[in-house]
Amino acid sequence: MPQSRRIIIDTDPGQDDAVAILLALGSAELEIVGITAVAGNVPLKLTEKNARKICELAGRPDVKVYAGAIRPLARELVTAEEVHGKTGLNGPQLPEPKMKLQDEYAVDFIVETLMSEESGTITLCALGPLTNVALALIREPKIAPRIKEIVLMGGGFFEGGNVTPTAEFNIYVDPHAADVVFKSGIPIVMMPLDVTHKALTTAKRTKAFRKLGTRVGTATADMLEFFERFDEEKYGTDGGPLHDPCVIAYLLKPKLFKGRKCNVSVETASELTMGMTVIDWWGVTKRPKNAMVMRDIDHDAFFELLLERLGRL
Ligand code: RIB
Ligand code: CA
């Protein structure tokens, strides 16, 4: 077995974040060095608690969970209880976590880890607003060349936005943080709505999780059944897009995805298009190609991978 890939998961659980964390925990190819919670889908006190609930659900109370930014860099926090429920993890009844939250501030953990671990060995998996990642880059710019890669779920272009007509939630909540990250020069793999909207949790796929007959399988089916209803009503689809697990699936099976390197620039001035990720897919500008932007996914293989790995927990 090749040496496992060392990752930090930055997250705002969120049912889809939860499934992404479970996918990582069910995959021996990955070593989770730490989980850093950020305010996003719900306030920080809930996202950090939800991250711990998911680790305990997977039988992994040893994973270190840290709390990070309580709000975006400049704008007021916008949350998404209408999608994720009041707790942020509505669906299953998960017990209050017993594992403790780490004392260290998540941003300090990210900086300290990147400065002390061998350069180029840590991948950041960003599943929520990019506030923690941007704060770490601002606090210690020396970490930028030491980060192997940032794989993030966020943005959208051909698909438009899911919070405004032009902006996706993670980028909309903290466009200034996203601007810092996309201008950092760090290798970025981007999973925008253009690809995550092709990964739908159909009823058949959700049933397959329940058929696992395990605590994780049942809880996952309960989470998806709650989470998908918002997008089903909005888009009239069978199931909702399973956004965040695309980030972890990329690390496990990159060939599931297709895209191209292009420039991504973030709108931080106009209120009309605030948080829009302007993706120069056809290369009509001279702007640097700062991200590998994914647009296609083998969604059947994606869900097969998810089922197989969650079945291991
Ligand atoms: O727009 C989808 C993204 O916003 C996902 O990461 C979801 O968890 C929410 O954070
Ligand atoms: Ca998320």
Side-chain angles (χ1 to χ4, degrees):
M1 160 80 74
Q3 208 207 355
S4 50
R5 182 154 178 174
R6 311 189 73 214
I7 65 173
I8 292 174
I9 298 178
D10 192 68
T11 179
D12 63 335
Q15 290 87 351
D16 60 320
D17 302 70
V19 178
I21 294 167
L22 292 170
L23 176 57
L25 290 169
S27 302
E29 303 93 319
L30 304 176
E31 177 199 341
I32 300 180
V33 176
I35 294 179
T36 52
V38 66
N41 285 320
V42 285
L44 178 68
K45 64 180 183 330
L46 286 173
T47 58
E48 65 85 357
K49 186 198 286 190
N50 292 340
R52 289 186 287 145
K53 284 184 175 182
I54 292 302
C55 289
E56 290 190 341
L57 170 67
R60 289 293 308 277
D62 58 297
V63 176
K64 292 188 171 16
V65 175
Y66 302 81
I70 197 158
R71 50 151 300 164
L73 296 186
R75 291 170 68 85
E76 289 302 310
L77 177 62
V78 170
T79 52
E81 285 85 350
E82 71 284 5
V83 179
H84 299 272
K86 224 168 148 15
T87 70
L89 217 44
N90 282 36
Q93 297 306 320
L94 298 177
E96 288 299 293
K98 294 195 179 57
M99 65 185 276
K100 80 178 195 59
L101 176 72
Q102 299 299 307
D103 295 336
E104 190 177 14
Y105 178 42
V107 174
D108 293 341
F109 164 74
I110 293 171
V111 169
E112 251 97 86
T113 302
L114 285 164
M115 293 308 289
S116 59
E117 295 300 325
E118 188 193 338
S119 181
T121 60
I122 304 279
T123 297
L124 296 188
C125 301
L127 312 181
L130 291 162
T131 317
N132 286 343
V133 179
L135 284 169
L137 287 166
I138 293 164
R139 193 194 134 207
E140 184 44 89
K142 291 198 195 84
I143 66 171
R146 302 178 65 86
I147 297 171
K148 177 183 175 65
E149 191 169 48
I150 296 177
V151 188
L152 64 89
M153 190 279 141
F157 189 62
F158 300 96
E159 191 68 11
N162 59 2
V163 188
T164 72
T166 57
E168 175 279 327
F169 180 81
N170 288 339
I171 309 299
Y172 179 74
V173 169
D174 200 339
H176 302 92
D179 189 44
V180 168
V181 173
F182 279 100
K183 285 178 178 163
S184 66
I186 299 165
I188 292 172
V189 175
M190 177 186 187
M191 295 286 168
L193 298 178
D194 307 280
V195 69
T196 66
H197 276 197
K198 295 173 182 172
L200 296 180
T201 62
T202 60
K204 183 162 162 272
R205 287 166 171 166
T206 301
K207 253 195 219 97
F209 287 109
R210 196 171 295 286
K211 265 179 73 187
L212 286 172
T214 61
R215 258 165 33 100
V216 167
T218 307
T220 299
D222 291 345
M223 280 193 273
L224 297 186
E225 280 170 7
F226 181 88
F227 169 71
E228 67 193 10
R229 87 218 177 288
F230 183 85
D231 286 316
E232 280 182 325
E233 274 150 44
K234 178 173 172 182
Y235 297 110
T237 47
D238 170 14
L242 198 51
H243 307 284
D244 292 339
C246 290
V247 168
I248 306 298
Y250 171 78
L251 297 181
L252 298 169
K253 290 186 183 296
K255 291 198 169 54
L256 291 181
F257 300 90
K258 282 201 180 63
R260 71 168 69 147
K261 274 207 85 168
C262 37
N263 176 267
V264 178
S265 297
V266 182
E267 176 62 73
T268 56
S270 149
E271 273 307 328
L272 177 64
T273 53
M274 182 60 70
M276 179 176 185
T277 50
V278 179
I279 299 175
D280 183 7
W281 185 259
W282 302 111
V284 297
T285 73
K286 295 268 169 290
R287 294 197 285 252
K289 296 182 177 178
N290 56 344
M292 168 56 86
V293 178
M294 296 301 183
R295 270 187 82 184
D296 280 308
I297 179 173
D298 176 343
H299 49 78
D300 285 328
F302 170 69
F303 277 94
E304 276 158 31
L305 173 68
L306 261 180
L307 197 60
E308 192 269 318
R309 294 302 164 96
L310 267 59
R312 295 183 185 183
L313 295 170

